[in-house]
Each structure stands twice: as structure tokens, then as C-alpha cells.
Amino acid sequence: MAKITLGGNEINTIGDLPKVGSNAPDFLLVSKDMKERTLASYHGQKVILNIYPSIDTGICAMSTVRFSNEASNLDNTKVVCVSRDLPFALTRYCESENIENLDNLSNFRDEGSFGKHYGVEIIDGDFKGLNARAIVIIDEEGKVKYTELVPEVGQEPNYEAAFSALN
């Protein structure tokens, strides 16, 4: 269990992020076309998991735009944004912002397994049941290369550290 804050109030996650160097946990996420995606869907590519509570919050939206803007400059790398939002909400946001070069996926259907396996499910406070804000970078072989659990939900991740970890 990790401690983070939401608006300065301490809350907890269900576990810890995967260890750097470990195999990334598999996942079952849902895309805008309601198709299921797993980690194997990205085999052979680097993956940036941009994990957050909801696209309907300012910081989550900002991080999606920032990663989308950077994604076109990244070789053999797929940006995958993950939230508990329904795919319809994710699609609506991406269409309104002309975001096309990343995968916005939902873990609404997985009965909490993504949040548990990645240690990001918030277990108390106002955001209970949502994902904490985190970054996990996975290499082409499925190994965790970098992680960041953002200490305050209302804070942006360290983009520069995440992008540096891709090299």
C-alpha cells in the first residue's frame, strides 16, 4: 500500500507499482471500439502507461494532451492512457481535442484487476475505486523500465523523467 494525497488529504492505494526490472503485469483494458486490449497487444513496442483517475479532471486531460503531443516524436513507442472512465467519455474527449496518436483505454470492465496488479487502485477517500496518477514504462520485451506514483493526485507527472527512461 502506498500513501498519496488528494487535495492535501492523505489517501492510500491498494498496493505498490510494479518493480523496475520485473515483468509488467498483463492487463485487460477496453478501447473506444469496445475491443479488449492486453499487454500482448503492444508486444515489440515500448509502452508508456499514463494512468489517471478520470479524463474529466484538468490534470488528467493535460497529461493526455502532453503525451499525445510527444507521442509523434517517439520511435517504436505507444502511449496508453488508462482510467476507469467509460470508453465513450474517452472517445468524446479525444475527438474534441483532436487526439489520435495514443490509445485511451478503460479498466471499467476488469473488476479492479488492473488497479490491483499495478497497485494504483485508490482504496479510500473521495476517489475510492479510481486509479491513482502514475506512469509505468514498459520495454519491448514487457519489462518494467520506469515507474512514478505521483504523490498528489492534483499534480502532473514528471514528464522529463518518463521520456528519459525510454532511452
Side-chain angles (χ1 to χ4, degrees):
M1 179 167 53
K3 294 190 182 306
I4 57 175
T5 58
L6 173 61
N9 298 313
E10 190 173 279
I11 58 175
N12 298 284
T13 65
I14 198 162
D16 295 308
L17 293 173
K19 300 279 185 230
V20 171
S22 69
N23 289 325
D26 198 9
F27 52 72
L28 181 68
L29 302 171
V30 181
S31 66
K32 66 181 179 180
D33 58 5
M34 301 305 285
K35 302 279 192 248
E36 294 179 343
R37 301 278 170 84
T38 65
L39 183 57
S41 304
Y42 302 99
H43 182 73
Q45 295 179 297
K46 297 174 191 169
V47 176
I48 299 173
L49 291 179
N50 177 32
I51 305 163
Y52 51 76
S54 173
I55 195 68
D56 288 325
T57 65
I59 301 298
C60 301
M62 285 177 17
S63 71
T64 299
V65 170
R66 174 77 184 263
F67 278 114
S68 175
N69 290 340
E70 297 287 341
S72 60
N73 301 323
L74 304 173
D75 292 329
N76 194 38
T77 303
K78 191 63 176 181
V79 176
V80 178
C81 297
V82 182
S83 74
R84 297 287 298 213
D85 293 304
L86 291 175
F88 315 113
L90 297 170
T91 299
R92 184 176 52 251
Y93 176 78
C94 286
E95 286 175 354
S96 73
E97 296 295 322
N98 296 314
I99 295 172
E100 298 176 354
N101 55 348
L102 53 74
D103 286 352
N104 235 330
L105 304 180
S106 174
N107 63 314
F108 84 98
R109 192 184 281 169
D110 74 351
E111 299 175 0
S113 68
F114 178 84
K116 289 176 181 65
H117 292 141
Y118 279 82
V120 295
E121 181 181 333
I122 297 171
I123 60 171
D124 53 16
D126 291 343
F127 279 19
K128 181 179 179 178
L130 296 178
N131 300 328
R133 185 176 318 286
I135 303 296
V136 177
I137 296 184
I138 303 166
D139 70 14
E140 300 91 335
E141 285 79 44
K143 298 278 188 195
V144 175
K145 194 164 179 187
Y146 170 85
T147 64
E148 176 192 7
L149 178 63
V150 180
E152 163 59 48
V153 174
Q155 176 183 326
E156 289 183 80
N158 185 338
Y159 301 107
E160 289 73 25
F163 294 128
S164 293
L166 291 168
N167 299 325

